[in-house]
Amino acid sequence: MLKRNKSMKWALNQFLNRSLQGLSYRLDAGFAKPTGITLCLTLRCNIKCQQCAIWRLPEKQELPAEVWKKVIYDLRKWIGPYRVRLVGGEIFIRKDIIEIIEYATKNDVITGVVSNGTMITESLARDIVNSGLGYLYISMDGIKPETHDRIRGIKGTYKKATSSIDYLLKASNGSGMTLCIATVICKSNMHELIDLVKFAERKGLDGVIFNPLGPTVDSDPDWYKKTDLWFDDLNEINEILDKLIVMKKAGAKILNPPHHLKEMKAYFARPYLLWNNGCMVGVTNLSIACNGDINTCFKMPSLGNVQNTSPKEAWNSERAKEIREKIKNCDIHCSPGNFVYRRSLFDDVIRFIKYG
């Protein structure tokens, strides 16, 4: 089993760059290195979630493992110790995913993955833990099988997701890998959120992260009017969020700080509004698509492609400076996570102490 990377070096590096990002934002400069790093290894997915449009997108070319290893190495050489989210699609569709995670672990990179859990067998669970993966979120959108399966679009996904949790718990015992569930809050599951927290605690998981329903690739300000998952009565969801806040303050394993849950109420009341308090993704985020395109914001033009430029060169380019200016004056509707989930530096410190 590879040793998990939960080092103080990463925490200090994170603190330094988080401290500089405000200045970078004001000066439209990239001298603060990114702290929100995402590698999208595939757009392929084996299920058809109602709240997600990724599975509807045309497939793109996927970079091979050797190119991803170079990307991971180049980022490590430039940024120092860092944490990266490996995402999809469904990440475990890639047969070489364990090889990529192992390479990152050996290069002092903290790795995290979100998965629907349907492809994780007992054998794969052991490989995941042994790879040195830092944290894993299994998506669960209901405590009732029929709720989860309806939202996920495929019958039987609840059983596979809960089985994957059991396999991972067994394999990860004492390993230090953080194992949580992730839930998208919507009309169909809002009455099951409290039971999902109890489920996580009963199973011995590290917690639950709640995400508000939002557009994935759609920039239409009226997107919420076109989905059956949006709320009919905000009083109901507000009462439930208030209960979750009380549970969080009492020590429940909810990973959202109380102010995130409170801010969801404001977002649900006016999902059509643009958030205009200063989007900082241009100085905080770096994402690389499965075909190698480099972005700060995935709704803006790319900064280049890793097949012909390094992430460092792209980040410090004149094109990046132009895009940062566009982001500051952006009028595109995007994921609520960009504003509901802006963690303070204090929140990051507490999260590191608890989970590494």
Side-chain angles (χ1 to χ4, degrees):
M1 181 186 299
L2 294 179
K3 184 179 179 182
R4 248 149 285 280
N5 296 317
K6 296 189 176 182
S7 68
M8 188 57 67
K9 290 185 293 183
W10 168 80
L12 293 172
N13 197 32
Q14 185 87 346
F15 179 84
L16 173 63
N17 284 296
R18 284 291 304 271
S19 301
L20 291 171
Q21 284 166 351
L23 185 60
S24 288
Y25 175 78
R26 289 190 292 274
L27 298 178
D28 292 323
F31 53 76
K33 297 169 186 175
T35 52
I37 302 170
T38 302
L39 306 183
C40 179
L41 304 188
T42 182
L43 290 179
R44 290 177 291 156
C45 193
N46 61 328
I47 59 176
K48 300 178 178 180
C49 302
Q50 290 185 45
Q51 76 275 27
C52 179
I54 290 177
W55 58 271
R56 298 183 177 93
L57 297 175
E59 289 188 9
K60 286 186 177 181
Q61 170 200 4
E62 294 179 10
L63 301 178
E66 291 308 312
V67 176
W68 284 119
K69 288 178 184 178
K70 184 178 186 305
V71 168
I72 290 166
Y73 177 82
D74 287 346
L75 287 169
R76 176 65 176 82
K77 188 176 179 181
W78 166 41
I79 296 173
Y82 68 95
R83 179 172 60 189
V84 63
R85 293 172 64 241
L86 305 175
V87 303
E90 170 49 43
I91 198 74
F92 290 109
I93 279 182
R94 284 195 64 129
K95 304 298 183 185
D96 54 6
I97 183 59
I98 299 299
E99 177 186 348
I100 293 170
I101 295 170
E102 287 178 344
Y103 181 85
T105 302
K106 291 173 182 177
N107 281 275
D108 201 23
V109 175
I110 300 171
T111 50
V113 163
V114 179
S115 170
N116 61 41
T118 60
M119 302 187 73
I120 299 176
T121 61
E122 190 167 7
S123 174
L124 180 55
R126 289 193 295 269
D127 290 341
I128 291 169
V129 174
N130 290 338
S131 72
L133 183 69
Y135 63 92
L136 174 57
Y137 290 91
I138 298 295
S139 298
M140 280 195 67
D141 287 322
I143 198 66
K144 299 176 183 176
E146 57 269 26
T147 302
H148 179 88
D149 289 357
R150 182 171 64 251
I151 294 172
R152 292 277 146 179
I154 301 287
K155 190 174 181 179
T157 54
Y158 177 87
K159 183 177 180 180
K160 290 180 178 179
T162 51
S163 293
S164 75
I165 289 171
D166 291 337
Y167 296 146
L168 289 161
L169 283 169
K170 180 181 178 181
S172 66
N173 185 29
S175 69
M177 186 182 81
T178 299
L179 181 60
C180 307
I181 59 176
T183 301
V184 175
I185 299 175
C186 64
K187 179 178 71 175
S188 299
N189 66 11
M190 62 181 178
H191 294 295
E192 301 177 33
L193 304 182
I194 291 171
D195 285 336
L196 280 167
V197 176
K198 294 176 180 177
F199 170 86
E201 293 178 334
R202 185 170 65 250
K203 283 285 187 181
L205 299 174
D206 292 296
V208 184
I209 184 77
F210 289 114
N211 301 297
L213 180 67
T216 47
V217 297
D218 192 357
S219 298
D220 183 353
D222 291 327
W223 66 270
Y224 65 98
K225 298 177 181 178
K226 302 172 184 178
T227 173
D228 295 334
L229 297 176
W230 196 253
F231 309 94
D232 297 323
D233 183 358
L234 289 181
N235 289 327
E236 287 186 288
I237 185 57
N238 286 342
E239 288 177 7
I240 292 164
L241 287 168
D242 286 339
K243 290 178 181 178
L244 291 174
I245 291 170
V246 171
M247 291 174 68
K248 170 66 177 180
K249 290 180 177 178
K253 289 187 173 182
I254 299 171
L255 300 183
N256 311 74
H259 69 86
H260 282 181
L261 299 169
K262 183 178 179 180
E263 286 160 5
M264 283 187 208
K265 294 167 68 174
Y267 160 70
F268 287 146
R270 296 186 293 178
Y272 50 85
L273 287 186
L274 285 171
W275 182 73
N276 56 6
N277 291 334
C279 179
M280 291 184 65
V281 296
V283 297
T284 61
N285 289 19
L286 181 72
S287 62
I288 301 176
C290 61
N291 65 350
D293 284 347
I294 305 168
N295 292 84
T296 55
C297 171
F298 72 93
K299 294 197 175 184
M300 290 285 174
S302 75
L303 309 182
N305 190 287
V306 296
Q307 295 178 96
N308 47 50
T309 189
S310 72
K312 179 181 179 180
E313 290 169 339
W315 183 260
N316 293 318
S317 66
E318 283 300 312
R319 183 175 179 82
K321 187 173 182 179
E322 293 170 5
I323 290 174
R324 288 188 185 102
E325 183 62 30
K326 287 183 179 179
I327 291 172
K328 288 176 73 171
N329 299 288
C330 176
D331 61 357
I332 299 173
H333 284 76
C334 65
S335 167
N338 286 342
F339 44 93
V340 175
Y341 284 166
R342 289 185 68 188
R343 290 187 180 275
S344 68
L345 190 54
F346 175 77
D347 288 337
D348 265 358
V349 170
I350 297 300
R351 193 176 177 85
F352 173 76
I353 291 171
K354 287 186 175 181
Y355 305 109

